[in-house]
Amino acid sequence: MVDELDIVQVSRSTIDYYDGQAVPFWEGTRDHDVSQNIAALLEAISGDGPHRILDFGCGPGRDLATFKAMGHDPVGLEGSPAFCEMARAHSGAPVLNQDFLALDLSPASFDGVFCNATIFHVPSAELPRVLLDLYAALKPGGVFFSSNPRGDNIEGWNGPRYSSYHSLEAWTRHMQVAGFEKLGHYYRPAGLPRDQQPWLASTWRKPQ
């Protein structure tokens, strides 16, 4: 666990890491296939769209560009200034430079929130507040998607990055306390034995 005095350092260290690794991170992840995750979010959102989607932790903009190419209205959010510049250039979409632990979002402004391999950097002590901020940013009936590395509810430093690894049961409790209704979950990569599926993906709805 991390105490209150360490929260600023958690954000600063994690953001600094990604700022310093922006180019190699892009080269290593630009071809990752997360179409299953994008489909899970979009299929759960009511209506034909275009949908206004917050890509929470958009990184260099791979998925942001995909949402835009599909005709939606995406907005990126990223703590790393280097990632923000890359995402804007790559996608042509607006990108908010905001710390995950200090969000400033307009209420009821998004049809969907897409958290692909990002929100696990939020310490569990801060997670309830962050989830409430994202809940408030969704329109009634809006959909929240997350894909996190799963674990036995441990957290701490992974080099210069802080990470939290939630079980399905613990993640469900966090989401339900924030007010979300569960739609479904699955493990990734698809088609492998469970012990070779390190990612827990889940979809949730904000009630009407």
Side-chain angles (χ1 to χ4, degrees), residues 125-184:
E126 298 297 305
L127 185 59
R129 178 176 58 80
V130 173
L131 289 176
L132 286 175
D133 286 344
L134 294 174
Y135 181 94
L138 276 169
K139 299 174 184 178
V143 175
F144 178 104
F145 171 88
S146 67
S147 179
N148 296 316
R150 62 189 180 94
D152 296 322
N153 306 313
I154 60 172
E155 62 186 283
W157 292 101
N158 178 13
R161 295 175 290 177
Y162 194 90
S163 303
S164 302
Y165 304 97
H166 305 280
S167 66
L168 173 61
E169 294 75 18
W171 186 248
T172 297
R173 286 194 298 272
H174 280 298
M175 295 299 293
Q176 289 177 338
V177 167
F180 289 98
E181 298 174 347
K182 187 177 180 183
L183 298 176

Side-chain angles (χ1 to χ4, degrees), residues 24-91:
F25 184 90
W26 170 242
E27 294 297 332
T29 62
R30 63 188 302 174
D31 295 325
H32 284 187
D33 181 7
V34 296
S35 56
Q36 182 185 20
N37 295 346
I38 289 172
L41 172 71
L42 295 177
E43 289 170 4
I45 299 175
S46 300
D48 295 329
H51 302 304
R52 187 164 173 80
I53 297 165
L54 178 67
D55 188 351
F56 180 88
C58 65
R62 179 197 63 207
D63 304 333
L64 198 62
T66 298
F67 284 123
K68 191 172 177 78
M70 296 173 76
H72 296 292
D73 180 22
V75 176
L77 187 148
E78 180 55 59
S80 159
F83 275 171
C84 287
E85 291 183 14
M86 294 169 72
R88 292 184 189 114
H90 182 64
S91 69

